[in-house]
Amino acid sequence: FMEVHFPLACINKSRIFAGLIPSIKDPSVFNHPLSGDNWALLGDAAALADPISGEGIYYALKSAQLLSGILAKEGKVKAYAGEIQKELIPELRTASQYSHWFFNPRFTHKMIQLSYSHQGINKVLVNLIEGSQGYTTLKQRLIKEKFSTLFDLIRFAYLRI
């Protein structure tokens, strides 16, 4: 296709191999079984990737760490799914619920505007991108930062997000 329609773009003839990153929009996906007798799903295979950023290496390593700890302690896979549900799924579920906002150009534009004009919002968004701000507490922290003054509350009402 590229050679026919975009021949100048085909300088390197090597093939590129890649897989799709699971981007879960429906939080009910996180209810699927993650382990059974002598098997466990980790990382991308378990849909453990951030639905907003696509980041999955942390989740792959964390799921491997949880499984190896359980195997070392108990010698069985049985407790793995419960640990994943407790340690990782709340963040991923919340991110999947928020993802429609983050991919809405109007919302993204307003958040960028807010980050320019409000240092607290800017800090929250920087923390979110760097990974030190989770999704489960994002809403509460944004509200706390944004509505710290009555003036901010009135100004926010005019933005109509």
Side-chain angles (χ1 to χ4, degrees), residues 89-105:
I89 298 302
E91 282 293 318
L92 295 173
R93 185 183 309 278
T94 303
S96 71
Q97 292 166 340
Y98 288 167
S99 66
H100 72 282
W101 286 103
F102 282 85
F103 294 110
N104 177 317

Side-chain angles (χ1 to χ4, degrees), residues 101 106-107 110-111 113-114 117-118 121 139 142-143 145-161:
W101 286 103
R106 185 166 182 247
F107 175 81
K110 293 294 184 185
M111 289 307 291
Q113 283 181 325
L114 285 171
S117 64
H118 194 283
I121 298 294
K139 184 177 179 181
L142 283 171
I143 289 170
E145 291 291 339
K146 183 60 192 150
F147 299 128
S148 58
T149 67
L150 180 59
F151 176 75
D152 285 336
L153 178 59
I154 294 166
R155 203 167 110 222
F156 185 78
Y158 283 106
L159 289 175
R160 294 187 179 99
I161 295 180

Side-chain angles (χ1 to χ4, degrees), residues 19-52:
L20 293 175
I21 297 171
S23 182
I24 306 303
K25 305 293 185 231
D26 179 4
S28 69
V29 168
F30 297 117
N31 298 330
H32 70 281
L34 297 174
S35 62
D37 292 336
N38 299 318
W39 66 270
L41 298 175
L42 288 80
D44 287 358
L48 300 176
D50 187 311
I52 294 171

Side-chain angles (χ1 to χ4, degrees), residues 4 9 11 21 27-28 45 60 63 66-67 71 73 78 81 83 85 87 102 106 111 115 130 149:
V4 172
I11 296 169
I21 297 171
S28 69
S63 60
L66 290 170
L67 179 61
L71 288 173
K73 183 179 177 182
K78 187 176 182 180
E83 283 298 305
Q85 288 293 333
E87 296 282 329
F102 282 85
R106 185 166 182 247
M111 289 307 291
S115 73
E130 72 184 9
T149 67

